[in-house]
Structures are given as C-alpha cells and as structure tokens.
Amino acid sequence: MKYVDEYRDGSVATQLAAAIAAEADPQRRYAFMEFCGGHTHAISRYGVSDLLPPQVRMIHGPGCPVCVLPIGRIDQAIRLALEHKVTLCAYGDTLRVPASGGMSLLKAKARGGDIRMVYSAADALALARDEPTREVVFFAIGFETTTPPTALVLRQARQLGLRNFSVLCCHVLTPSAIGTILESQEVRQLGTVPIDGFIGPAHVSTVIGSRPYEFFAEEYRKPVVIAGFEPLDVMQAILMLVRQVNEGRCEVENEFTRAVNRDGNLKAQQHVSEVFELRKSFEWRGLGLVPYSALRIRSAYAEWDAERRYALDYQGVADHKACECGAILRGVKKPTDCKLFATVCTPDNPMGSCMVSSEGGCAAHYTYGRFRERVA
Amino acid sequence: MSRRAYVRPLDLKHGCVDLSHGAGGRAMQQLIDELFAPAFKSALAADDIARGDDGAVLPPLGAGERMVIATDSHVVSPLFFPGGDIGSLAVHGTVNDVAMMGARPLYLSVGFILEEGFALAELARIVASMGAAARAAGVRIVTGDTKVVEQGNGDGVFVNTTGLGALPAARSLSGAYARAGDSILLSGSIGDHGMAIMSRRESLAFDSEIESDSAALHELVAAMLAAVPSSAECDDPERGLRLLRDPTRGGLASTLNEIAVQSDVGIQLQESALTVKPQVAAACEFLGLDPLYVANEGKLLAVCASADAPRLLAAMRAHPLGAEASVIGEVVEDAQHFVQMHTRFGGRRNVDWLSGEQLPRIC
Amino acid sequence: MCLAIPARIVELLEDAQGVVDLGGVRKQISLELVDGVVIGDYVIVHVGYALSRLDPVEAERTLALFASVELPGGAAA
C-alpha cells in the first residue's frame, strides 16, 4: 500500500531509534504526550516504545473520543433505541462502551433495540432516505476529523427536507482537551506540567491545520510536533521533540507535511461552523466538565437535532471512586498506579475512560504492553 | 424403493420454505426426497438418507482405530460470499475439526433449521454446495434433520454438521501438549475468510478480489502426519507433532491464546513470518481491523518438536493448501501465558485475547 | 483517533462521489470536502469521506528526512 508501507519500514526505524538515543540527553528525562488515540494505537501495535531510550517516555493522552465519551451520552443513545424506538446508527467503536445499569449499545440491541453499525454517516442518511417511515438517529461522536462528515450529512438532510432523520451530536474539540491537560491542578500546584511536549494529532490537523496549536506552544512553553499516523512518523516526531527540548525551543512543527498545512481544510471548517456551534461546557469522561470543548447543532438545524427532537435531558454518571483516569489522562499517573488496573478494570470490564477502547492508555497497556511489567 | 406420489414437485425456482416442511409430514418428506437426498447422493455406497430410516448404521472401524466426533453449527451471514457459502463452510468446518484431532473424516450428519419464507432456490444452492464439498472431501452425509421456525426467528438458514472420523491407534494430538522449545507452523495467509464476509456486509461493503479460504484440510493433515507422526507415535516422545488447530473465529490470535492456556506455556511470534494477502491487508486498513483476529476457514496451526519443524514445513509446502506455510514462532516458558509478537517494525507487543468480536473502528 | 488511510482516486462519479483504491480494494466515498482532485491523486479517507489531498512531493521529502538522520559520529544514515 503506497504511502503506508514505506512509513512502516523496520530498517529505517532502527536508524531513527539510534538517532533518538544519540540525541536524548542521558541526564534528563523526556515525557511526551501523544494526544491522539490513533498514535497510541500505532505506538502499541508496532512496539515503538521498545525502540526508545529509557529516558524517553510516552504518555497516552485523552485523544480517543470513545474513551472520553461520558456514560450519560451512551445512556441517551440507548434510551433513543429502547424507549423512543428509533433506528440508531453508530460507529463500531461505541457499541461495547459500558453505560449505566450494566448496559451497552450491544446489550440494548440484544434487548430488541434496533441498533446498527455503520461505516459512515452517509450510510445513516441513506437509510433514512430509502425508508421514509423509519425514524433514524445517527450517533455522532469524534474529534474534528469526524465532524465535517456529520456537518455534510445534516446539510443534506435539510436540503432534502428529510422528516425522519436526526443526529445525536457528541463531537468534541482537540485544542480544549489539550488546554485542560495543561491547566490541570497539577500545573497550578506544582507550577509545571509533567509533560515536555506533545505529538499533535494527524488527521484532526488535516482539518484544523497547525495554527491552533501555536497558542499552546507560546502560552505554556511546550513544543508540539504534528505527526503522521504511521510508526516512522511517530518516531521522527519524537526525534523532533527531543531536539526542541534540548534546544529550549517551543514551536509548532509539522512532520505530517504530506497532508497537513497551517490553515487546514477551510471548506470542511466552513461546513462545520455553518451547522454547529460551541456548547458552553461538556462533560468529558475522566476530565470532568470542560468549557467550550464540544459542539451542538445550531437552531437553524434544530429539526435534525435528536436532543431537541426527543427532548433528551443529560444526566452525568460518575466513575468508580478509585478510578485514576483523570490523573492518567493528564500524564500524572501511569495505568499501573491505579488500584483497579488489571484487577477489576480490564478491557472486558472497563471501569473508566482509559480502558474503554483499545486506544485508551490503560487498554493499550493491558492489551499490548503488559509483558513489559515483568522482569525480562 | 418406490417413489411417493406427490401432488406436484417442489417449486425450486419460486417456492419458499413453510412451516409444513418441518412438521414431519408429507411436505417434509418431499423436501428430503427432492432436495436433500439427490444433493447428498454419495459417489460411494447406498444412499442412506433416501432409505428413510431414523438413523444410519455405520460399518466398524479398522483394528485399533478409535472414533472421533466433532460438531459445528453455522450461522454465517451473508449466506453466500466470495469463495463459498454456508453449505460448503458447514462441511469444511466439521471435516477440519475431525482432521485437527488427527482422524480421517468419514461421515457427516446435517441438521437444518430453516426460516419460514426462505427461498427454496437458495436452499437448493446451499444443499448442492454441501453435497459437492462432501464428495470432494470423500465424506458421506449419512443422516440429517430439518426443522422450520416462524419467520423472524432465524437468519434464513442455520446448519449444524456433526462429523465422525477414525483415529489410528496410538495417535494423540492435543492443545495441551505444546512445550517450551517447540516450533509453531502456520499453513498460509491469514484473514481471507473474515474479510471476504466483511466485503459483503451492508455499510461495510467494499470491492475486491478477496475470497474465503474455506477448504477441507484433511489431506494436508494426512501428508503432515505421514512426515511427522504425533509424539505418542514416535519412538522418542520428545519428538513429533504435538497439536493441530484451525484458527477460525477470533483468528490466529485467539487460537494461540487458547493453546497457551491449555498447555500452560507462552508463545513468541515473528510478525515477519506471517502472510497476509495484500488486499486482505488493505481491507483491514480501511476498517481498522487487525488480521490477527480475523477468521480463517482453510488454514491450520501445527506445533511440533523444533527438530521436526523443517520436515513438517517441507511436507506442508508440498501440498497445495500449505504452499505458503511458514514457521511463525516458538513456544516458551511463561506462567502468565502471554502471546508476544516481535513486530516487523522492530518492537514487541502482546497479542491478547479479544473481548468479543473485533468490530470495525473509526478511531 | 481518526483512523484514516491514504487511497488513490480511480474514478470520479457525480454528486461529488468517487471510487478510491487502497492496495487493490476499492470503495466508493465522498469527495465533497476536497476541491480540485483528479484521478490519480491520493486522498486521506476517514469514515467514507476524503479529508485532504496527499502531497506526493512532501511525502517523498518526509521519507528522505527519515533516511537522512545523522548517526553518532556524524555519519548520515
């Protein structure tokens, strides 16, 4: 596969690993957060951590929209299917997320809910078009990468005057999440963030561009390197971050130049701002209430807003008291620091956001990296 | 025996299954006579199904041989997919289960649960496919059963096949026999069947040339056991073939984890030794699936003493169904039963059990 | 997040749709979010939508960058 295989070359990985080891100062520790769940996945799946010198550590950030989706939102989706009897279309990632009362979308399906997995928002719209007597709701989750398709689908629904289609909007915003991490109480207490730099998301950045990260680099004096999705991209980005730290620079650099520029996809941004507006605050699982961090559907599109259409109210549901996801998401604790990790909390029985999907830090460690805890 | 007189023959073009076909009366008998029996006509001896008894009497096995029995139910959707259908899958699946025990597959029983309204034309296709698969594999379908459920209570067709085979004296293979130091071999590419199914699923559908690898593996197994007998049959019990397993649902990863637990060992894999067809790899990329967890229906895993691995590999590669066979890893000591993989990239990762079916992801 | 893959456009259809090819697998997707793409272009595809065009010059430059890392002793790789 062109533009994929070349970026997974093991012999080039060895060279990059040697370069990182050569340039990382043995006297200091480097902690970099890869914000994006896709990067967490790449690091785990290819075993990138094995190729880094011991003083360079990766921290898994909250960039998995499924992980940070609060229980209360899944509850809403389940209510739509079981109580309002709609046909609920959702991405595969959401189906197993545990909600209140031991339920999940998959379990709701078993109870008779008409819940269907779709690859694309367009498939949900097509279903509504093909069957005008069927009430279809699309469960829209995701960061800025996934939002433009939802915007397009809402525009189309309005153009077509569809009467049987709506969207439950749970889209969230990357810069707000980064800001929350940087503004965490550890920062206020210690005056420093335990993170030396960020690997910026790959595909979110194709949409929003590299400009939004400049604020964080300047304000919080943290380097950001936007990296492509493949393991060589990640390693190159780590090398660039090590260099920035060594040289005392705090810039936004772009490793993913083949798909990302400073402005991003203006057409996509335009469609999004036409259809959505900022919510004043939104609950993120593991991070609590975060201001201006999520989107809701504008009143011009109210007819296609499932929250309004079905008068859904939102009830927050707290995580287990012993759950350390908040601290883990901020890079202050590791999965193994949490009492629940691998005891009560496993991928089969996730207690908090970090275990809910395979991109969560705890899930990634459990599924891919647990063998590292043992003495070799 | 004389043919029964029916009012008119089954309408195989436009007719549907209805509740009378499962009721044990004339309608069901007609289904058996006109649809099942002709399709399951074996190239060998008497047509047991057409004889119409409640069961089949089977000849005794050879001296010292023991009987192996295996059963499989098939609920695949879609019923027809590139490279096969539920019929051929049902035959291959059970033939393979018997073969993985080291036994020679001989007989199959077939149980159908049909949904009211299912098209007879499609049923005829499935049944013909089963008959052809059985004949090609040299097994006889000797008895069966049909039930019909009301519309909405089934996915068109559910099939159960139970297989009987003959296991030679002294041969013993088991998932519990793997030991540290053993080699692990795989007969070919992974992920073909699962992705062939995916390519036909609504919403996920894509265009490709991916075909299911569904195949009967018993002849490959016979060739392998001729080259490397089971440890129980070897003069030196340290040598020989320990186990055979076909990595079906849950893929290679699930099977390896099962073996690790069953044998109380760990496993180390080399990703570079695994074969994934380019289009299967690409389809997995599209949907965010890991080929390690995708189902296979025509592949097998073998664990043997490392000294016997070259001989076993040669025997596998000499057979068309093992042409792409490779040594993919080794068994190690590990009280935690981890399955670890050295990635092509140079790092390592766990290959854990899946919780539930792997689903396509956007994240 | 955001599983996305670079795929080559092999067919342009009406209504801003297109068919892309990744390693021989083809799928129909939406090109609504990208302008001025032609057959042969590579686009990043996420949930059935092309999000941006992949720049082949930059792609080569990035690969060259990986290969040019200086190893200890000053020797380039």
Side-chain angles (χ1 to χ4, degrees), chain A residues 67-107:
Chain A
C67 300
V68 295
L69 189 65
I71 295 172
R73 294 286 167 192
I74 309 264
D75 288 344
Q76 283 182 332
I78 292 173
R79 277 204 325 263
L80 282 171
L82 292 181
E83 287 169 33
H84 298 274
K85 308 255 187 263
V86 307
T87 295
L88 187 87
C89 295
Y91 295 121
D93 317 52
T94 56
L95 296 181
R96 274 200 283 262
V97 180
S100 298
M103 283 292 277
S104 68
L105 283 171
L106 214 59
K107 294 200 172 132

Short mmCIF file of all heavy atoms in Angstrom, two decimals, chain A residues 67-107:
data_model
loop_
_atom_site.label_atom_id
_atom_site.label_comp_id
_atom_site.label_asym_id
_atom_site.label_seq_id
_atom_site.Cartn_x
_atom_site.Cartn_y
_atom_site.Cartn_z
N CYS A 67 -13.25 7.01 24.39
CA CYS A 67 -12.83 6.94 25.79
C CYS A 67 -13.41 8.09 26.60
O CYS A 67 -13.79 7.92 27.75
CB CYS A 67 -11.31 7.00 25.89
SG CYS A 67 -10.49 5.66 25.04
N VAL A 68 -13.43 9.29 26.02
CA VAL A 68 -13.84 10.46 26.80
C VAL A 68 -15.35 10.70 26.70
O VAL A 68 -15.88 11.63 27.30
CB VAL A 68 -13.07 11.73 26.39
CG1 VAL A 68 -11.60 11.56 26.71
CG2 VAL A 68 -13.27 12.02 24.91
N LEU A 69 -16.03 9.86 25.96
CA LEU A 69 -17.49 9.99 25.85
C LEU A 69 -18.11 9.60 27.19
O LEU A 69 -17.91 8.47 27.65
CB LEU A 69 -17.98 9.05 24.75
CG LEU A 69 -19.42 9.15 24.30
CD1 LEU A 69 -19.70 10.49 23.66
CD2 LEU A 69 -19.70 8.02 23.32
N PRO A 70 -18.84 10.48 27.82
CA PRO A 70 -19.36 10.16 29.15
C PRO A 70 -20.48 9.13 29.09
O PRO A 70 -21.21 9.04 28.09
CB PRO A 70 -19.89 11.49 29.68
CG PRO A 70 -19.87 12.43 28.57
CD PRO A 70 -19.20 11.83 27.39
N ILE A 71 -20.59 8.38 30.18
CA ILE A 71 -21.62 7.35 30.28
C ILE A 71 -22.99 7.93 29.96
O ILE A 71 -23.82 7.30 29.29
CB ILE A 71 -21.63 6.75 31.71
CG1 ILE A 71 -20.31 6.02 31.96
CG2 ILE A 71 -22.80 5.82 31.90
CD1 ILE A 71 -20.14 5.56 33.40
N GLY A 72 -23.24 9.15 30.45
CA GLY A 72 -24.55 9.77 30.24
C GLY A 72 -24.95 9.89 28.78
O GLY A 72 -26.13 9.84 28.42
N ARG A 73 -23.96 10.03 27.91
CA ARG A 73 -24.28 10.17 26.48
C ARG A 73 -24.66 8.83 25.86
O ARG A 73 -25.55 8.74 25.02
CB ARG A 73 -23.08 10.77 25.72
CG ARG A 73 -22.77 12.21 26.13
CD ARG A 73 -23.77 13.19 25.57
NE ARG A 73 -23.64 14.49 26.18
CZ ARG A 73 -24.53 15.47 26.05
NH1 ARG A 73 -25.61 15.29 25.33
NH2 ARG A 73 -24.33 16.62 26.65
N ILE A 74 -23.96 7.76 26.30
CA ILE A 74 -24.34 6.43 25.81
C ILE A 74 -25.74 6.11 26.32
O ILE A 74 -26.55 5.52 25.60
CB ILE A 74 -23.37 5.33 26.31
CG1 ILE A 74 -21.94 5.70 26.02
CG2 ILE A 74 -23.74 3.97 25.72
CD1 ILE A 74 -21.37 5.13 24.79
N ASP A 75 -26.01 6.51 27.57
CA ASP A 75 -27.36 6.29 28.13
C ASP A 75 -28.40 6.94 27.23
O ASP A 75 -29.46 6.38 26.96
CB ASP A 75 -27.48 6.89 29.54
CG ASP A 75 -26.71 6.08 30.58
OD1 ASP A 75 -26.36 4.92 30.29
OD2 ASP A 75 -26.46 6.62 31.68
N GLN A 76 -28.10 8.15 26.74
CA GLN A 76 -29.05 8.84 25.86
C GLN A 76 -29.28 8.02 24.59
O GLN A 76 -30.40 7.87 24.12
CB GLN A 76 -28.51 10.22 25.46
CG GLN A 76 -28.65 11.28 26.53
CD GLN A 76 -28.14 12.63 26.06
OE1 GLN A 76 -27.25 12.71 25.20
NE2 GLN A 76 -28.69 13.69 26.61
N ALA A 77 -28.19 7.52 24.02
CA ALA A 77 -28.30 6.73 22.79
C ALA A 77 -29.14 5.48 23.03
O ALA A 77 -29.99 5.11 22.21
CB ALA A 77 -26.92 6.36 22.26
N ILE A 78 -28.91 4.84 24.17
CA ILE A 78 -29.67 3.63 24.49
C ILE A 78 -31.14 3.97 24.68
O ILE A 78 -32.03 3.25 24.19
CB ILE A 78 -29.10 2.96 25.76
CG1 ILE A 78 -27.71 2.38 25.47
CG2 ILE A 78 -30.02 1.85 26.26
CD1 ILE A 78 -26.97 1.85 26.67
N ARG A 79 -31.42 5.10 25.33
CA ARG A 79 -32.83 5.50 25.53
C ARG A 79 -33.51 5.72 24.18
O ARG A 79 -34.66 5.35 23.98
CB ARG A 79 -32.91 6.80 26.33
CG ARG A 79 -32.81 6.54 27.80
CD ARG A 79 -33.41 7.56 28.75
NE ARG A 79 -33.38 8.94 28.42
CZ ARG A 79 -32.47 9.81 28.86
NH1 ARG A 79 -31.48 9.41 29.61
NH2 ARG A 79 -32.55 11.09 28.53
N LEU A 80 -32.79 6.32 23.25
CA LEU A 80 -33.37 6.55 21.93
C LEU A 80 -33.78 5.23 21.29
O LEU A 80 -34.85 5.13 20.68
CB LEU A 80 -32.35 7.26 21.02
CG LEU A 80 -32.17 8.76 21.24
CD1 LEU A 80 -31.00 9.27 20.42
CD2 LEU A 80 -33.44 9.52 20.86
N ALA A 81 -32.93 4.23 21.44
CA ALA A 81 -33.23 2.94 20.80
C ALA A 81 -34.32 2.18 21.53
O ALA A 81 -35.24 1.65 20.90
CB ALA A 81 -31.96 2.10 20.72
N LEU A 82 -34.24 2.13 22.86
CA LEU A 82 -35.18 1.28 23.60
C LEU A 82 -36.49 1.97 23.94
O LEU A 82 -37.53 1.34 23.91
CB LEU A 82 -34.50 0.76 24.88
CG LEU A 82 -33.35 -0.23 24.65
CD1 LEU A 82 -32.78 -0.69 25.99
CD2 LEU A 82 -33.79 -1.43 23.83
N GLU A 83 -36.43 3.26 24.29
CA GLU A 83 -37.68 3.93 24.69
C GLU A 83 -38.35 4.63 23.52
O GLU A 83 -39.54 4.54 23.33
CB GLU A 83 -37.40 4.95 25.80
CG GLU A 83 -37.11 4.28 27.15
CD GLU A 83 -36.58 5.30 28.15
OE1 GLU A 83 -37.01 6.47 28.08
OE2 GLU A 83 -35.74 4.91 28.99
N HIS A 84 -37.54 5.35 22.72
CA HIS A 84 -38.13 6.06 21.58
C HIS A 84 -38.22 5.19 20.34
O HIS A 84 -38.78 5.60 19.33
CB HIS A 84 -37.32 7.33 21.28
CG HIS A 84 -37.31 8.31 22.42
ND1 HIS A 84 -38.31 9.24 22.60
CD2 HIS A 84 -36.44 8.47 23.44
CE1 HIS A 84 -38.03 9.95 23.70
NE2 HIS A 84 -36.93 9.50 24.22
N LYS A 85 -37.63 4.02 20.43
CA LYS A 85 -37.72 3.01 19.36
C LYS A 85 -37.25 3.51 18.00
O LYS A 85 -37.81 3.17 16.97
CB LYS A 85 -39.18 2.51 19.23
CG LYS A 85 -39.80 2.05 20.53
CD LYS A 85 -39.88 0.54 20.58
CE LYS A 85 -40.63 0.03 21.78
NZ LYS A 85 -39.78 -0.35 22.89
N VAL A 86 -36.19 4.31 18.01
CA VAL A 86 -35.64 4.74 16.73
C VAL A 86 -34.68 3.67 16.23
O VAL A 86 -34.28 2.77 16.97
CB VAL A 86 -34.88 6.08 16.84
CG1 VAL A 86 -35.75 7.13 17.50
CG2 VAL A 86 -33.56 5.91 17.58
N THR A 87 -34.28 3.81 14.97
CA THR A 87 -33.18 3.01 14.46
C THR A 87 -31.93 3.82 14.70
O THR A 87 -31.75 4.89 14.12
CB THR A 87 -33.36 2.74 12.95
OG1 THR A 87 -34.52 1.95 12.77
CG2 THR A 87 -32.15 1.99 12.40
N LEU A 88 -31.08 3.34 15.59
CA LEU A 88 -29.89 4.10 15.95
C LEU A 88 -28.69 3.60 15.15
O LEU A 88 -28.34 2.42 15.22
CB LEU A 88 -29.61 3.94 17.45
CG LEU A 88 -28.47 4.85 17.93
CD1 LEU A 88 -29.02 6.21 18.30
CD2 LEU A 88 -27.75 4.24 19.11
N CYS A 89 -28.07 4.48 14.40
CA CYS A 89 -26.88 4.12 13.63
C CYS A 89 -25.65 4.65 14.34
O CYS A 89 -25.62 5.82 14.73
CB CYS A 89 -26.95 4.72 12.23
SG CYS A 89 -28.29 4.05 11.26
N ALA A 90 -24.64 3.78 14.53
CA ALA A 90 -23.47 4.20 15.29
C ALA A 90 -22.21 3.58 14.71
O ALA A 90 -22.26 2.54 14.05
CB ALA A 90 -23.62 3.78 16.75
N TYR A 91 -21.07 4.24 14.96
CA TYR A 91 -19.79 3.66 14.57
C TYR A 91 -19.50 2.46 15.47
O TYR A 91 -19.90 2.42 16.62
CB TYR A 91 -18.67 4.70 14.74
CG TYR A 91 -18.78 5.90 13.84
CD1 TYR A 91 -18.85 7.18 14.37
CD2 TYR A 91 -18.77 5.77 12.45
CE1 TYR A 91 -18.92 8.30 13.54
CE2 TYR A 91 -18.85 6.88 11.62
CZ TYR A 91 -18.92 8.14 12.17
OH TYR A 91 -19.00 9.24 11.36
N GLY A 92 -18.75 1.50 14.93
CA GLY A 92 -18.45 0.28 15.67
C GLY A 92 -17.85 0.51 17.05
O GLY A 92 -18.12 -0.23 18.00
N ASP A 93 -17.00 1.53 17.15
CA ASP A 93 -16.29 1.79 18.41
C ASP A 93 -17.20 1.97 19.62
O ASP A 93 -16.79 1.73 20.75
CB ASP A 93 -15.45 3.08 18.31
CG ASP A 93 -14.71 3.21 17.00
OD1 ASP A 93 -15.35 3.08 15.94
OD2 ASP A 93 -13.50 3.46 17.04
N THR A 94 -18.42 2.47 19.36
CA THR A 94 -19.28 2.83 20.50
C THR A 94 -20.08 1.65 21.04
O THR A 94 -20.66 1.74 22.11
CB THR A 94 -20.30 3.91 20.09
OG1 THR A 94 -21.04 3.42 18.97
CG2 THR A 94 -19.62 5.20 19.71
N LEU A 95 -20.13 0.58 20.27
CA LEU A 95 -21.12 -0.46 20.60
C LEU A 95 -20.88 -1.17 21.93
O LEU A 95 -21.83 -1.64 22.55
CB LEU A 95 -21.18 -1.50 19.47
CG LEU A 95 -21.69 -0.94 18.14
CD1 LEU A 95 -21.75 -2.05 17.10
CD2 LEU A 95 -23.07 -0.33 18.29
N ARG A 96 -19.60 -1.27 22.32
CA ARG A 96 -19.36 -2.05 23.55
C ARG A 96 -19.12 -1.19 24.77
O ARG A 96 -18.88 -1.71 25.85
CB ARG A 96 -18.15 -2.98 23.33
CG ARG A 96 -18.56 -4.29 22.71
CD ARG A 96 -17.51 -5.33 22.94
NE ARG A 96 -16.39 -5.14 22.06
CZ ARG A 96 -16.21 -5.81 20.94
NH1 ARG A 96 -17.09 -6.72 20.55
NH2 ARG A 96 -15.19 -5.57 20.18
N VAL A 97 -19.13 0.13 24.62
CA VAL A 97 -18.84 1.01 25.76
C VAL A 97 -19.89 0.78 26.85
O VAL A 97 -21.09 0.88 26.58
CB VAL A 97 -18.86 2.49 25.33
CG1 VAL A 97 -18.57 3.39 26.51
CG2 VAL A 97 -17.86 2.72 24.20
N PRO A 98 -19.47 0.46 28.06
CA PRO A 98 -20.45 0.20 29.12
C PRO A 98 -21.13 1.49 29.55
O PRO A 98 -20.48 2.53 29.71
CB PRO A 98 -19.63 -0.38 30.26
CG PRO A 98 -18.24 -0.49 29.77
CD PRO A 98 -18.10 0.32 28.54
N ALA A 99 -22.43 1.41 29.74
CA ALA A 99 -23.20 2.57 30.19
C ALA A 99 -23.80 2.24 31.57
O ALA A 99 -23.33 1.35 32.24
CB ALA A 99 -24.28 2.88 29.17
N SER A 100 -24.86 2.97 31.93
CA SER A 100 -25.44 2.75 33.26
C SER A 100 -26.18 1.42 33.31
O SER A 100 -26.67 0.94 32.30
CB SER A 100 -26.43 3.86 33.58
OG SER A 100 -25.77 5.09 33.62
N GLY A 101 -26.25 0.88 34.52
CA GLY A 101 -27.03 -0.34 34.73
C GLY A 101 -26.51 -1.53 33.96
O GLY A 101 -27.27 -2.41 33.57
N GLY A 102 -25.21 -1.59 33.74
CA GLY A 102 -24.62 -2.75 33.05
C GLY A 102 -24.98 -2.84 31.58
O GLY A 102 -24.78 -3.85 30.93
N MET A 103 -25.55 -1.77 31.04
CA MET A 103 -25.97 -1.80 29.63
C MET A 103 -24.86 -1.33 28.69
O MET A 103 -23.87 -0.75 29.11
CB MET A 103 -27.18 -0.87 29.44
CG MET A 103 -28.46 -1.48 29.94
SD MET A 103 -28.94 -2.87 28.89
CE MET A 103 -29.76 -2.00 27.56
N SER A 104 -25.05 -1.58 27.43
CA SER A 104 -24.22 -1.02 26.38
C SER A 104 -25.10 -1.02 25.14
O SER A 104 -26.18 -1.60 25.16
CB SER A 104 -22.99 -1.89 26.13
OG SER A 104 -23.40 -3.12 25.56
N LEU A 105 -24.65 -0.41 24.07
CA LEU A 105 -25.46 -0.41 22.85
C LEU A 105 -25.65 -1.84 22.35
O LEU A 105 -26.72 -2.23 21.88
CB LEU A 105 -24.81 0.47 21.77
CG LEU A 105 -25.02 1.97 21.99
CD1 LEU A 105 -24.17 2.78 21.02
CD2 LEU A 105 -26.49 2.35 21.82
N LEU A 106 -24.61 -2.64 22.49
CA LEU A 106 -24.70 -4.03 22.04
C LEU A 106 -25.73 -4.79 22.87
O LEU A 106 -26.52 -5.58 22.35
CB LEU A 106 -23.33 -4.69 22.19
CG LEU A 106 -22.94 -5.74 21.15
CD1 LEU A 106 -22.98 -5.14 19.76
CD2 LEU A 106 -21.55 -6.28 21.43
N LYS A 107 -25.74 -4.53 24.17
CA LYS A 107 -26.71 -5.20 25.04
C LYS A 107 -28.10 -4.68 24.77
O LYS A 107 -29.07 -5.42 24.84
CB LYS A 107 -26.34 -5.01 26.51
CG LYS A 107 -25.04 -5.69 26.87
CD LYS A 107 -24.88 -5.94 28.36
CE LYS A 107 -23.65 -6.81 28.57
NZ LYS A 107 -22.79 -6.27 29.62
#
